[in-house]
Amino acid sequence: MTAATPSPLFPRVSPPAEYAAVPHDADAVLEGLDPEQREVATALHGPVCVLAGAGTGKTRAITHRIAYGVRAGVFQPASVLAVTFTNRAAGEMRGRLRQLGAGGVQARTFHSAALRQLQYFWPKAVGGEVPRLVERKAQLVAEAAARCRVRLDRNELRDVTGEIEWSKVTQTVPEDYPAAAAKSGREAPRDAAEIARIYAGYEQLKRERGVIDFEDVLLLTVGVLEERHDIADQVRRQYQHFVVDEYQDVSPLQQRLLELWLGDRESLCVVGDASQTIYSFTGATPDHLLNFRTRHPGATVVKLVRDYRSTPQVVHLANGVLAQARGRAAEHRLELVSQREPGPDPVYAAYADEPAEAEGVARRIRELITPVEQGGGGVPPSEVAILYRINAQSEVYEQALADAQVPYQLRGAERFFERPEVREAGLLLRGAARAGSADPALADADVPAQVRAVLSTRGWTPEPPAGSGAVRDRWESLAALVRLAEQFCAGRLAAGRQVTLADLVAELDERAAAQHAPTVEGVTLASLHAAKGLEWDAVFLVGLTEGMVPITYAKTDPQVEEERRLLYVGVTRARRHLSLSWALSRSPGGRPNRRPSRFLNGLRPGSAASVARAPGGGGGIERGGASGPVRKRRGPVHCRVCGRTLTDAGEMKLMRCEDCPSELDEALYERLREWRAEQAGQLGQPAYCVFTDKTLLAIAEAVPGTEGELAGIPGVGRRKLDKFGADVLALCSGRELTRTEGADQDGGSGPEEPARNSTEK
């Protein structure tokens, strides 16, 4: 097993330019790789498992591995199948492989590869043509529900459709759904038996209409390969080497298909990161990644932890988010090591309400995208993203950005190549390519000028229109096509290749087939799930409150841990600028009773960690709710500022070194001291019998908002929590006490209890 060590010897490795010159031989393919990436690239035989942290260059490593194998004569290009999970990732992989001299390699999604095989073998295995593919199953699900006399609103329809998809990728038939859902701890949107009936009705409707869905593509391909050994042998003769990206997201059905492709061979390379498993609700599981060495005892395992994407400040925060994680995935977490120059510290911001948060974020983005010569940050709008937990949060940010005259685009909305203006532009460019020199307006112009001339007839102008709305959206789409033409031609010419308008049209067709959209020059609005696999110079993580991150319906420990991983994915999307914010109430004038996400405890200023864990360690603390058992802390206590192991009792109470910076709320500390003196007088005991000075300091620094957070402070045990907790939390929230509740009549509470820990559920 190879792991990186922190080292400044390897500078940031930029991915190869899309149209850079092809390496002249196999050894040239290895140039520019760091030691771990080179280890991946040269491990051409036997099973290989690459554990790759966010931003560590995994795509670079595996594309160079494939290219090195091809250029060294170990792989035949047509015998390699690389599979990933999005069309965009597959398109990027194909582009890189072409430029590395491995253009004949197939890089596809699981569904695309399976559909291609199904279409080819269906006439031989079944006869006739493959049934028509239904891309959007919601309408059929709605009809199936109506047949069962069940009315589903829009949200229920989406959720029931999701349950059907989960059932199919986990190979669960309708009659087994209730038991399978209960065993998996799924919170069904309707009665489980009712969903099973809708599921059965949906399958019946498909049979009646002779159509299949995306999950059927995998199921049918698996069925053909299992039942027709001659076809399975033919596929295995064609594909002899496999690479699987994002292996932590493989579903049981995809794993079964992969095993059928492989047969009894072991020429397999998988790449993944258990800490980025965020799609378990779709059936994805990291178990296949975590069990890889069990299934393949002789596997080569390489860890990629050199982070070339993010600054040390962003990486430090990302490591901190996972430092308190629990569960099997957390035991295999990777400690990232930034290879970039230092940047600004992450910004934490609390706002009075959601509109104020949106306005504050829009104002900060306006400053970032303002040109440097005008006193701004000079960050292109396309290099800025606002990420939120659910899509419903986007509206307030759309309005705030429009008010601030900041261009934006919604990711996860209509596909780029399906937009009417893009389809129309494609037809016009295709016609212009056919006309060629017959059109005098285009005869002497280079390709970008030809594109600008054609698209100017449909609304493109050198400068964007004022305001927002449909006109601006249309302009942004056309402008993205113009930029793509400029980049495409510049790359071809730099590589010494001529380019025509017909070449550009072919590139657009290929991108449209792969849904590989060009960059739109606007701030990206996206959910955390939709942001997976992407990166920006500046990222704003918004709405980070309890009930949103983690989401309110995340009840079990595994569900909460997946929410933590979702935040980790959001943090690691940022290259340089990172902002984390939350609103104390939903609407202006509302009650400010929201609390920042528990995942920020110990990370944001003035907060104490919910759980203390040794850096990079597994183990941890058994946690319970504030009303449950409070267990003693296990393992060393670390300074929540610098991370040093603490041994002094006073420092352990503060959970920081004496000389580390303190975010003490001095006004709160004085209120706590006055309250303690009153309590001690009523009890007739010294003040330290209520709380010691160190404990009061720790409370005034952490400013706990819940019983769980208060119980996590050393010196606050169960009896102290029961006796004084309500008063202390009231003081921390800024409320005035109307009566004294802390003094019982039992003669006192005795000395402070040992340091303990509890976490709010």
Side-chain angles (χ1 to χ4, degrees):
M1 179 180 294
T2 305
T5 54
S7 171
L9 298 178
F10 298 95
R12 177 182 173 86
V13 179
S14 301
E18 189 175 356
Y19 298 101
V22 175
H24 54 81
D25 59 20
D27 288 341
V29 173
L30 302 178
E31 292 177 2
L33 300 181
D34 69 29
E36 295 76 44
Q37 292 170 342
R38 182 180 288 256
E39 186 74 20
V40 174
T42 55
L44 301 180
H45 301 285
V48 177
C49 179
V50 183
L51 303 177
T56 57
K58 67 180 178 64
T59 303
R60 180 179 176 84
I62 58 177
T63 52
H64 281 66
R65 177 183 186 271
I66 295 170
Y68 181 71
V70 169
R71 302 295 295 276
V74 178
F75 301 157
Q76 291 299 313
S79 72
V80 181
L81 177 60
V83 289
T84 186
F85 282 81
T86 67
N87 288 314
R88 186 196 61 80
E92 179 185 356
M93 193 177 293
R94 285 193 297 270
R96 292 197 187 193
L97 288 170
R98 280 199 303 268
Q99 295 310 310
L100 290 170
V105 172
Q106 291 292 314
R108 297 180 175 274
T109 65
F110 268 102
H111 285 89
S112 172
L115 180 60
R116 192 164 181 260
Q117 293 175 18
L118 196 63
Q119 290 170 332
Y120 184 82
F121 290 112
W122 187 269
K124 179 179 179 180
V126 181
E129 294 185 354
V130 177
R132 181 173 61 87
L133 181 64
V134 176
E135 292 194 10
R136 294 176 176 84
K137 59 175 68 69
Q139 182 59 41
L140 280 179
V141 175
E143 290 185 43
R147 283 190 177 186
C148 297
R149 297 183 178 179
V150 176
R151 174 177 288 182
L152 301 175
D153 63 29
R154 184 177 179 181
N155 291 332
E156 288 175 325
L157 177 60
R158 178 199 62 208
D159 293 342
V160 170
T161 300
E163 290 303 294
I164 292 174
E165 292 174 346
W166 172 82
S167 299
K168 299 186 75 166
V169 300
T170 56
Q171 304 173 78
T172 302
V173 296
E175 55 267 29
D176 292 341
Y177 169 78
K183 182 178 180 180
S184 300
R186 295 183 72 82
E187 291 194 7
R190 304 278 299 216
D191 177 73
E194 198 171 60
I195 293 177
R197 291 199 305 274
I198 297 172
Y199 178 14
Y202 167 76
E203 294 296 314
Q204 179 62 33
L205 267 175
K206 286 193 301 159
R207 287 191 292 270
E208 292 174 4
R209 299 181 184 180
V211 298
I212 59 176
D213 60 25
F214 275 103
E215 289 72 39
D216 290 329
V217 170
L218 301 182
L219 285 164
L220 290 170
T221 305
V222 165
V224 168
L225 295 177
E226 284 182 335
E227 295 188 13
R228 292 292 300 268
H229 298 291
D230 57 329
I231 292 177
D233 288 341
Q234 188 174 344
V235 171
R236 291 168 191 157
R237 284 195 299 272
Q238 170 69 47
Y239 296 118
Q240 299 173 21
H241 309 282
F242 296 86
V243 175
V244 184
D245 193 12
E246 303 288 1
Y247 194 54
Q248 77 279 352
D249 290 332
V250 166
S251 71
L253 179 56
Q254 290 164 332
Q255 176 65 21
R256 181 63 188 135
L257 178 59
L258 177 62
E259 291 168 354
L260 287 167
W261 284 340
L262 273 169
D264 58 1
R265 300 165 299 176
E266 289 199 318
S267 186
L268 171 66
C269 174
V270 300
V271 188
D273 178 9
S275 296
Q276 296 188 67
T277 305
I278 59 173
Y279 296 110
S280 66
F281 61 91
T282 67
T285 170
D287 289 346
H288 305 300
L289 175 66
L290 298 178
N291 294 335
F292 191 83
R293 292 197 75 180
T294 301
R295 296 196 314 275
H296 305 279
T300 298
V301 178
V302 184
K303 290 185 177 181
L304 302 182
V305 298
R306 300 181 197 269
D307 188 316
Y308 297 101
R309 175 188 301 160
S310 305
T311 63
Q313 288 78 5
V314 173
V315 167
H316 178 73
L317 176 57
N319 288 334
V321 169
L322 290 186
Q324 301 175 30
R326 296 191 302 162
R328 192 171 180 219
E331 294 169 2
H332 294 80
R333 70 186 179 90
L334 300 169
E335 192 90 11
L336 299 178
V337 182
S338 176
Q339 305 296 297
R340 293 195 55 173
E341 292 296 320
D345 287 331
V347 175
Y348 298 86
Y351 294 90
D353 50 64
E354 289 182 3
E357 183 181 7
E359 291 167 8
V361 168
R363 186 166 54 251
R364 174 62 180 138
I365 291 175
R366 179 77 263 176
E367 295 169 356
L368 272 178
I369 67 175
T370 298
V372 174
E373 56 270 20
Q374 298 177 22
V379 179
S382 61
E383 287 295 345
V384 181
I386 299 174
L387 306 182
Y388 35 74
R389 178 60 179 84
I390 59 174
N391 288 321
Q393 293 172 271
S394 74
E395 183 178 1
V396 66
Y397 291 94
E398 293 179 57
Q399 184 61 54
L401 291 173
D403 292 344
Q405 297 185 319
V406 174
Y408 67 88
Q409 59 170 329
L410 278 171
R411 183 168 182 84
E414 185 180 29
R415 291 180 175 181
F416 180 83
F417 288 102
E418 293 177 1
R419 298 175 186 174
E421 65 271 20
V422 174
R423 292 200 301 268
E424 182 184 25
L427 291 173
L428 290 172
L429 292 171
R430 186 170 288 106
R434 284 197 299 266
S437 58
D439 187 339
L442 305 178
D444 298 324
D446 60 15
V447 172
Q450 293 178 49
V451 173
R452 289 191 288 268
V454 170
L455 299 188
S456 64
T457 66
R458 290 298 182 269
W460 177 83
T461 56
E463 296 298 325
S468 58
V471 173
R472 179 59 182 255
D473 290 344
R474 179 183 179 86
W475 184 90
E476 291 285 1
S477 298
L478 299 178
L481 291 175
V482 170
R483 284 192 299 275
L484 176 60
E486 293 169 347
Q487 294 164 3
F488 177 77
C489 296
R492 285 288 188 97
L493 293 174
R497 301 161 66 183
Q498 294 300 311
V499 60
T500 66
L501 189 57
D503 294 330
L504 175 64
V505 169
E507 173 75 5
L508 290 176
D509 288 342
E510 183 175 334
R511 282 174 170 261
Q515 288 300 330
H516 184 194
T519 300
V520 175
E521 194 59 35
V523 172
T524 299
L525 292 172
S527 70
L528 287 164
H529 283 102
K532 179 73 168 67
L534 303 175
E535 58 185 80
W536 296 270
D537 282 346
V539 169
F540 290 78
L541 301 177
V542 299
L544 301 181
T545 60
E546 284 291 308
M548 191 58 73
V549 183
I551 199 76
T552 186
Y553 51 74
K555 305 290 187 186
T556 66
D557 283 348
Q559 290 170 340
V560 170
E561 288 306 314
E562 180 148 336
E563 293 287 304
R564 187 193 306 276
R565 294 194 295 271
L566 192 57
L567 177 61
Y568 171 78
V569 167
V571 169
T572 54
R573 298 311 93 194
R575 298 191 191 103
R576 181 173 174 81
H577 302 279
L578 179 62
S579 172
L580 305 95
S581 62
W582 56 92
L584 301 179
S585 68
R586 178 170 186 175
S587 304
R591 185 177 179 185
N593 56 0
R594 288 180 172 179
R595 305 299 305 178
S597 169
R598 71 190 76 172
F599 302 146
L600 300 181
N601 289 346
L603 302 174
R604 62 181 175 86
S607 66
S610 299
V611 178
R613 290 189 57 175
I621 298 166
E622 184 174 346
R623 302 188 297 179
S627 60
V630 184
R631 300 182 179 272
K632 291 185 178 181
R633 186 187 313 277
R634 298 175 183 173
V637 178
H638 297 272
C639 173
R640 55 190 168 85
V641 179
C642 70
R644 184 178 69 84
T645 301
L646 303 177
T647 56
D648 178 77
E651 291 184 339
M652 291 173 69
K653 281 186 179 292
L654 289 177
M655 295 185 69
R656 67 169 175 83
C657 306
E658 284 283 3
D659 54 355
C660 273
S662 165
E663 287 82 22
L664 175 67
D665 185 331
E666 295 185 5
L668 174 59
Y669 180 61
E670 289 305 316
R671 290 198 302 272
L672 287 169
R673 284 174 57 87
E674 293 171 3
W675 166 84
R676 182 182 65 173
E678 182 180 349
Q679 295 296 318
Q682 293 180 11
L683 292 170
Q685 293 191 342
Y688 69 81
C689 289
V690 179
F691 287 120
T692 65
D693 288 345
K694 293 288 187 183
T695 299
L696 288 190
L697 281 171
I699 293 172
E701 289 185 5
V703 194
T706 66
E707 285 191 350
E709 293 174 358
L710 179 58
I713 295 175
V716 183
R718 168 53 54 197
R719 283 185 293 166
K720 294 292 180 76
L721 191 65
D722 292 341
K723 187 180 296 292
F724 304 125
D727 279 13
V728 172
L729 290 174
L731 290 168
C732 289
S733 69
R735 290 184 282 119
E736 294 295 329
L737 298 180
T738 56
R739 59 190 178 89
T740 301
E741 300 176 344
D744 290 340
Q745 302 301 316
D746 60 1
S749 59
E752 283 199 35
E753 300 176 31
R756 303 192 179 191
N757 190 285
S758 175
T759 298
E760 177 188 13
K761 286 290 185 185

